[in-house]
Amino acid sequence: MRCPLTIASQRRVLCVFPAYTPSFGTFSHAYPLMRRVRAFMPPQGLLLIAAYLPESWPVRFIDENIAPASPADFAWAEIVLVSGMHIQAPQIHDIAARAKAAGKVAVLGGASVSGAPELYPEFDYIHIGEIGDGTDRLIARLDGSVAAPPAQMRFETTDRLPLCDFPMPAYDLIRLDHYLIGSLQFSSGCPYRCEFCDIPALYGRQPRLKTPQQISAELDAMLAQPGHPPVVYFVDDNFIGNRKAAREMLPHLIAWQRKHGYPLQFACEATLNLAKQTEILSLMREAQFLTVFVGIETPETDALKAMRKEHNAALPMMEAIKTLNGYGLEVTSGIILGLDTDTADSESRLKAFIDLSQVPILTINLLQALPRTPLWDRLQRDGRLIADDTGLESNVRFLRPYDEVVATWRRCIAYAYDPERLFARFAHQVDATYANRMIGPARGKLTISNLRAALVLAFNVAFRVGLVADYRRPFWRAAGRALRRGQIDAVLGMGFVAHHLIQFSREALRGEQNASFYSTHGREAAAPPDPQGVPSLRRSA
Ligand code: SF4
């Protein structure tokens, strides 16, 4: 549904989504290998608020990951609406400065301002929390006036709009072919309480749900755009936060796939105890889920207990990963270094985990304390929070020496993304995971745009990875194994993913990238809500 208010004015709204600083999880080095791709994933939260605005208000939508908003865009607008996560704080400030310089009223909503409103004093209006009564009051205020208020005004949602009443995100305002993957939200919230995670405080512990019909309608809208991404990411905080709901939604997803000839594949983030849900796993396989991001965080059981993530230890970790692989799901793992429980042995344990798990993609980050988390509260009590302007890679005063923690991070990413090791892990996936995927009919995928995109990617992977790169030999060893099994998609996938990971890790090792991608130095709340859940941009599940 759209905003239910009776509106008196017409307001021109410029929605601006801040750029991300590149990270392991944005795959930015892969974009040049692809036709038209220029950004990672459509920003669900800001697209949602764009769709909720009054129908009579013209909206321009700019994702600055694709192209910056121009002076003409600011000149056109009466209201500049911004949304972002903590990691985009510098870019959020920059957009506010441009809006103010253009004399426009600036509004900020979403996860970052909801967690830490004090970071954004320059905005005229801030929206705290999810879409709901606060949003309606804000819209009513803007309907009445677009003059900047004498002091910042705050609109906080106490009565959230149920997800089943969410409008369809404004996919019509963006070009989906500019994105590497599509995004879709089914649920919001997570029942767990991991110490470092702000999801329970921001989105609640009782997952709230869209209807299967909403999901089908959104997929229809994506499919209607030629050149839509081939993979759609469920940005839910934890796809199995409500297992019953996931179990009941998946047959609808399968029915949609069958009806359209299996045009899409899916990815999501979920807790590792997904491995115990064999019925859900079977349905995910049938719906063509390819990848699941799991916040494994650490292979050390005591550390999991200390961070209140015991659910990751509900069954032996390697067995759980093997089970997920058995249903064709490649696991992507989030890892945290700098935990209070880290010892001199943690590095060798992590390296052993990488070798044993054969997980190809790991986002290894330093611990960062986010506002509105139990971790933040504890560290504040203990005087262990560091101001963001210190130039350090994290806002946490680690128990181990800082230089040692950062050096460990450097050695671990060097180890994980050594090309020989990385491609060996992909080669393992050929038999352990990719061979277990359901081969659906290709009818839905056979479009002219898809064919063109595949040809461009195949050429670029063959040339830039298979011929020119210094890691061509390990690439061909893994690719050859996949080709012998007829896994053409896997060859292209491992080609562009590895290309990004190797390039990015080399930059990070040269000191050109941050060790913590939650750190605000050197680098999104959607207007409410912000369920973007980018795998390595937000730490969840
Ligand atoms: S880290 Fe994941 S499992 Fe833990 S509370 Fe956050 S979303 Fe839930």
Side-chain angles (χ1 to χ4, degrees), residues 190 192-194 196-197 199-200 237 271 309 311 539-541:
C190 177
Y192 298 112
R193 281 194 269 207
C194 303
F196 56 80
C197 182
I199 300 294
D237 308 308
T271 38
K309 200 152 189 176
H311 47 278
R539 179 176 293 134
S540 55

Side-chain angles (χ1 to χ4, degrees), residues 45-96:
L46 197 54
L47 288 171
L48 176 67
I49 195 68
Y52 187 75
L53 291 171
E55 197 163 11
S56 59
W57 292 13
V59 177
R60 258 186 215 184
F61 195 98
I62 307 284
D63 181 349
E64 293 206 317
N65 291 285
I66 293 172
S70 69
D73 292 321
F74 284 104
W76 168 86
E78 293 173 281
I79 299 162
V80 176
L81 186 56
V82 187
S83 163
M85 298 191 296
H86 296 313
I87 53 170
Q88 293 162 299
Q91 292 88 337
I92 297 173
H93 292 308
D94 180 59
I95 296 167

Side-chain angles (χ1 to χ4, degrees), residues 71 86 117 171 179 212 217 229 235 258 325 435 438 444 463 475 486 538:
H86 296 313
Y171 299 122
Y179 290 94
V235 300
R258 282 203 189 113
N325 292 163
M438 199 189 84
F463 181 70
F475 165 71
R538 193 172 71 178

